[in-house]
Amino acid sequence: MFEGYCGHEGRHRLDDGRYHLVCVAVLAALSPFDMEKIEDMRIYKEAADDVSIDTIADLVKKACSRHKGIILAERGEFYSSPEWRVEAILGRKFKYAESVGERKAIEVAHHVSLAVHRMLHERGNTGQED
């Protein structure tokens, strides 16, 4: 059983040129073929002037700060940077999703991120964490 955070970070450009960022961090117990259990989930949102790898890493670090598991992401989240580079930027263990279970966990985080974006834009609420 693997326990770690999987993150999904959604980026949407706002009318003022800034970006609305939502990061969903899911603490989950994973097997190679499934996501066995979700232990915790955290949603962190903010507005940013850019979507550089450092901006994304800072957002992921904030969302994943409660737990010490491995951070798991899909390759595009960190612009396909090598795992060792992302690990150095984050300051903790990191890997890209490989197994079916890991991909399922990221899929859950992705769906939550999209739902949060839609909800916030319907309400006109963007910016710092609530």
Side-chain angles (χ1 to χ4, degrees):
M1 225 27 120
F2 166 80
E3 286 192 19
Y5 260 108
C6 64
H8 182 271
E9 183 277 316
R11 310 158 208 191
H12 296 268
R13 192 171 194 149
L14 300 171
D15 293 338
D16 66 0
R18 299 185 79 210
Y19 291 88
H20 184 212
L21 308 175
V22 174
C23 183
V24 178
V26 178
L27 178 64
L30 307 175
S31 69
F33 298 104
D34 209 351
M35 183 173 54
E36 301 292 330
K37 182 178 181 183
I38 295 176
E39 300 284 343
D40 191 22
M41 186 179 298
R42 183 164 189 214
I43 301 166
Y44 194 89
K45 66 180 178 71
E46 66 183 31
D49 293 326
D50 65 29
V51 288
S52 69
I53 194 167
D54 293 324
T55 301
I56 302 308
D58 287 343
L59 183 67
V60 169
K61 282 191 262 188
K62 290 173 189 173
C64 298
S65 64
R66 283 199 283 207
H67 298 282
K68 301 298 178 201
I70 296 170
I71 296 176
L72 174 69
E74 54 192 351
R75 196 160 287 280
E77 294 300 329
F78 291 97
Y79 303 105
S80 300
S81 296
E83 288 179 348
W84 64 266
R85 180 169 185 238
V86 178
E87 198 168 285
I89 293 168
L90 293 174
R92 60 192 281 190
K93 291 293 282 176
F94 171 83
K95 70 177 277 195
Y96 288 117
E98 296 172 358
S99 73
V100 173
E102 291 168 347
R103 289 187 180 129
K104 283 183 178 183
I106 287 176
E107 187 175 326
V108 167
H110 177 77
H111 286 295
V112 172
S113 175
L114 288 175
V116 168
H117 268 292
R118 287 182 186 131
M119 180 184 72
L120 292 174
H121 286 281
E122 285 173 6
R123 296 175 63 206
N125 182 9
T126 60
Q128 295 300 316
E129 179 181 22
D130 292 331

